[in-house]
Amino acid sequence: MIIAIDGPAASGKGTLARMIARHFGFAYLDTGALYRAVARDTLAGGFGLDDTAAVVSIARSLDPATLDDDGLRCPGVGEAASRIAGIPEVRAALLAYQRHFAKTPPGAVLDGRDIGTVVCPDADAKIFVTATADVRARRRFLERQRQGEDATYEQVLDLIRNRDARDSERGSSPMKRADDADLLDTTEMGIQAAFDAAVGLIKRKISQ
């Protein structure tokens, strides 16, 4: 069984996807970590993010065993990942790994931007998780405060809006809701309420 969870940054999709995977006893993949890992290795190697040949080579040789690196959560890595995610050859290089992971028995939960539309268009259940930009920025701002990072709410809001634009307007696998995906707006929801709603949507989908 394959469950696809898509949505913009700070919508809560990652937390939900992990909770859903634990609930059903399925494997979990944060596909964004793949792009962050490529960005990390690109920056560590001293290559520019516009050096397509170098970035694609790094994507093709990526070691999935390094996806647990705490450094992938650094803001700079996330922004770099968003930029290289628009390179078609990078997406193609990482596609096979994602599709192979999706076949993990007895099931897998993948979250990202194009899981339900490109990576696993035949997923058994698809949910597009969203929230207003203001709410998502507030969540990310509080998260950064807890981590001791120096950033204003306005700066984070700008980053969120710019990220949304890059993800939804890129030519290769843009972020969008699949036609058969359920919409889950978490603007007014706590994580438990969002989880309960998501599980309900999944159970309804697989019972049809």
Side-chain angles (χ1 to χ4, degrees), residues 93-118:
L94 300 176
L95 184 58
Y97 176 79
Q98 295 173 74
R99 287 181 171 169
H100 177 74
F101 186 94
K103 296 178 182 178
T104 304
V109 180
L110 291 80
D111 82 71
R113 302 289 193 279
D114 64 341
I115 308 304
T117 55
V118 176

Side-chain angles (χ1 to χ4, degrees), residues 31-40 81 84-85 90-91 94 98 114:
T31 64
L34 296 171
Y35 295 93
R36 289 191 291 272
V38 174
R40 173 203 60 200
I84 66 168
V90 170
R91 304 198 72 85
L94 300 176
Q98 295 173 74
D114 64 341

Side-chain angles (χ1 to χ4, degrees), residues 173-191:
S173 303
M175 175 184 68
K176 66 177 181 178
R177 177 186 173 188
D179 292 338
D180 56 346
D182 288 305
L183 180 66
L184 180 59
D185 190 329
T186 66
T187 299
E188 303 291 338
M189 289 183 176
I191 187 59

Side-chain angles (χ1 to χ4, degrees), residues 40-118:
R40 173 203 60 200
D41 295 347
T42 299
L43 296 173
F47 300 104
L49 299 177
D50 57 351
D51 187 341
T52 301
V55 177
V56 171
S57 176
I58 289 170
R60 288 173 176 165
S61 60
L62 181 66
D63 180 4
T66 68
L67 297 181
D68 291 332
D69 179 9
D70 290 339
L72 299 185
R73 296 297 172 181
C74 296
V77 172
E79 284 301 302
S82 178
R83 289 176 57 186
I84 66 168
I87 302 174
E89 295 88 347
V90 170
R91 304 198 72 85
L94 300 176
L95 184 58
Y97 176 79
Q98 295 173 74
R99 287 181 171 169
H100 177 74
F101 186 94
K103 296 178 182 178
T104 304
V109 180
L110 291 80
D111 82 71
R113 302 289 193 279
D114 64 341
I115 308 304
T117 55
V118 176

Side-chain angles (χ1 to χ4, degrees), residues 1 3 20 24 125 127 198-207:
M1 180 177 178
I3 299 174
I20 290 167
F24 288 103
I127 299 177
V199 170
L201 290 172
I202 293 167
K203 288 183 175 179
R204 186 182 68 187
K205 181 70 72 174
I206 62 180
S207 68

